Amino acid sequence: PLVYNGRVYLYTGHDEDGSTYFTMKDWRVWSSADMVNWTDHGSPLSVSSFSWAKSDAWAGQAIYRNGKFYWYVPTTNRSTGRMAIGVAVSDSPTGPFRDALGHPLVENGEIDPTVYIDDNGQAYLYWGNPNLWYVKLNSDMTSYSGSPTKVNLTTSGFGSRSGDANRPTLFEEGPWFYKRGSLYYMVFAAKCCSEFIAYSTSSSPTGPWTYRGTIMSTQGSSFTNHPGIVDFNGGSYFFYHNGALPGGGGFTRSVAVEKFSYNSDGTIPTINMTTTGAPQVGTLNPYVRQEAETIAWESGVETEPSSEGGMNVGFIENGDYIKVKGVAFGTGATSFSARVASGGSGGKIEVRRDGATGTLMGTCDVPGTGGWQNWTTVSCSVTGASGTHDLYLRFTGGSSYLMNVNWWQFTGNGGPTTSPSPTPPASP
């Protein structure tokens, strides 16, 4: 996660469908203004973005500095066969990103970079499995001073592991390094396998560290877990992964988030996985254009790059639906419009309230447009769209793919009763 300009941007890996190993070819970006409706920004970075890389788009982290976004990622160096840390750069949090160097930033066969810029402007890059390393990054964020330093992993600093003489501490991988107040935190995946999430703290960015215990115990049907912690809009949020979605497991993982509060002494409470996740921050405004790929929950649909920029929702079949949470209709909407395309015979968009089979507020007919990227706008009247409700767009029609949807918007009498943050326009 990265907080920027009133939104949380989430930089993820991507397990390939049906994977039986860590088969990962690209990275993806999502963003949210309310912690429940997430906009899919697609894949602005992949293994092929690095001419020197051959495989393994594994766990990275992005950070903002001086008008640019830097994304540190581990991937396998084609020429050496070892894991190396690359850095990509963009002018936008959603990319596109490009290789900043044309070669690895650091390479010692270890993975999982985490990056933080201290209050005095000094940036640090930590990474490692099975060891933990750091370098001091220069202000350009693409070079460093000195040589990589290996952290002294002590049991007092990182907990005690039994039964493995080669790894006496709990540190495994996936470090997440940050500062809160005057305290530095090193959150990490502990004791494979299955992993849990633990953490250590220090009064210095380079240690020595003091082990603080477990944040999230082993749970969630994935034998790995990785942490990410940010503060946003007055709350603290813990990101992690599990295998909780249908078909999920240790090689087909999904990202989840929980809201939490630090203890008064700065320690982190025990956090458990839930199916509800974080509560919504504010509401969503239906009277501005909302990307169809802004979703709280979906069934059956996928996303793809759109000819009109950004992403669109596609591969829609009869009975599929999209849920958008906490939509503030205010005094009432009178019509619904959607940007659609269909290379088939089209179908219908049912505009429903509070459930996939909830109150039907309106139905929009979608015609065939002669191509899956031949876009047109359809509109229909709606009734009963007032107050704040969860919105369900349910798609119906024939037995094959029905339509693509790029964006939607309501029009109405008075607009929302609150002032939520609209989804930003899609990146070019």
Side-chain angles (χ1 to χ4, degrees):
L2 167 67
V3 177
Y4 175 75
N5 199 23
R7 294 183 73 82
V8 177
Y9 291 86
L10 185 63
Y11 298 82
T12 76
H14 171 211
D15 292 332
E16 291 296 314
D17 289 353
S19 178
T20 56
Y21 180 64
F22 301 113
T23 307
M24 307 169 75
K25 301 175 182 178
D26 58 11
W27 295 269
R28 298 184 72 90
V29 181
W30 316 73
S31 74
S32 179
D34 63 11
M35 298 305 294
V36 296
N37 297 300
W38 290 86
T39 303
D40 183 354
H41 299 286
S43 174
L45 186 68
S46 67
V47 169
S48 61
S49 302
F50 300 96
S51 62
W52 50 269
K54 72 172 185 176
S55 61
D56 305 320
W58 288 2
Q61 185 185 345
I63 198 167
Y64 171 78
R65 187 169 202 173
N66 295 333
K68 294 187 182 298
F69 298 84
Y70 298 90
W71 197 349
Y72 300 86
V73 293
T75 185
T76 298
N77 187 332
R78 182 185 306 277
S79 61
T80 65
R82 297 195 305 174
M83 293 299 296
I85 309 298
V87 56
V89 63
S90 176
D91 296 324
S92 161
T94 57
F97 284 80
R98 60 174 178 81
D99 184 0
L101 295 173
H103 57 81
L105 172 64
V106 291
E107 178 179 344
N108 62 5
E110 301 198 32
I111 58 174
D112 295 352
T114 178
V115 59
Y116 181 74
I117 303 169
D118 208 349
D119 301 334
N120 63 3
Q122 178 62 61
Y124 296 85
L125 184 77
Y126 274 89
W127 76 100
N129 174 346
N131 301 294
L132 182 61
W133 302 79
Y134 73 87
V135 291
K136 291 184 177 181
L137 295 174
N138 296 325
S139 58
D140 62 9
M141 301 300 285
T142 59
S143 64
Y144 57 88
S145 301
S147 300
T149 299
K150 186 176 176 180
V151 174
N152 184 21
L153 294 176
T154 64
T155 54
S156 62
F158 294 90
S160 181
R161 180 190 318 217
S162 60
D164 188 344
N166 294 321
R167 300 187 81 156
T169 78
L170 292 172
F171 178 82
E172 186 75 31
E173 60 180 352
W176 180 267
F177 174 57
Y178 70 102
K179 184 183 184 182
R180 180 178 180 267
S182 59
L183 202 59
Y184 296 86
Y185 292 74
M186 187 67 71
V187 187
F188 56 92
K191 192 181 181 297
C192 189
C193 285
S194 295
E195 293 174 345
F196 63 96
I197 303 300
Y199 78 113
S200 305
T201 61
S202 176
S203 58
S204 157
T206 58
W209 297 95
T210 300
Y211 182 63
R212 295 296 185 184
T214 298
I215 299 175
M216 179 174 277
S217 62
T218 299
Q219 55 193 282
S221 68
S222 167
F223 61 85
T224 63
N225 196 355
H226 276 22
I229 296 178
V230 292
D231 287 344
F232 174 67
N233 208 17
S236 297
Y237 295 90
F238 178 82
F239 289 81
Y240 60 97
H241 72 239
N242 59 25
L245 288 179
F251 300 116
T252 46
R253 299 161 293 180
S254 46
V255 183
V257 61
E258 308 292 343
K259 188 177 183 181
F260 75 96
S261 296
Y262 288 89
N263 298 318
S264 58
D265 61 357
T267 56
I268 301 173
T270 300
I271 301 170
N272 284 307
M273 301 182 185
T274 71
T275 55
T276 52
Q280 187 167 8
V281 178
T283 52
L284 184 132
N285 180 0
Y287 299 105
V288 298
R289 194 182 102 176
Q290 295 286 353
E291 296 299 317
E293 64 274 14
T294 297
I295 296 170
W297 183 263
E298 56 79 15
S299 176
V301 308
E302 298 188 29
T303 60
E304 64 182 357
S306 169
S307 64
E308 296 192 320
M311 305 288 283
N312 64 255
V313 172
F315 306 93
I316 295 169
E317 296 173 283
N318 183 58
D320 292 350
Y321 66 85
I322 289 169
K323 173 187 176 181
V324 185
K325 195 171 182 179
V327 177
F329 293 107
T331 55
T334 55
S335 70
F336 170 83
S337 299
R339 188 71 167 169
V340 296
S342 177
S345 56
K348 297 179 184 294
I349 303 175
E350 298 177 353
V351 184
R352 292 184 176 268
R353 192 177 71 205
D354 296 329
T357 57
T359 301
L360 182 64
M361 299 185 291
T363 303
C364 270
D365 290 313
V366 176
T369 64
W372 295 108
Q373 295 291 321
N374 292 350
W375 298 98
T376 189
T377 303
V378 297
S379 298
C380 53
S381 60
V382 295
T383 57
S386 61
T388 298
H389 294 275
D390 294 344
L391 169 68
Y392 285 74
L393 303 179
R394 185 171 182 267
F395 308 100
T396 60
S399 59
S400 58
Y401 290 133
L402 305 179
M403 70 190 80
N404 291 345
V405 186
N406 194 11
W407 53 259
W408 56 264
Q409 184 172 348
F410 286 82
T411 56
N413 299 321
T417 55
T418 59
S419 301
S421 301
T423 299
S427 299

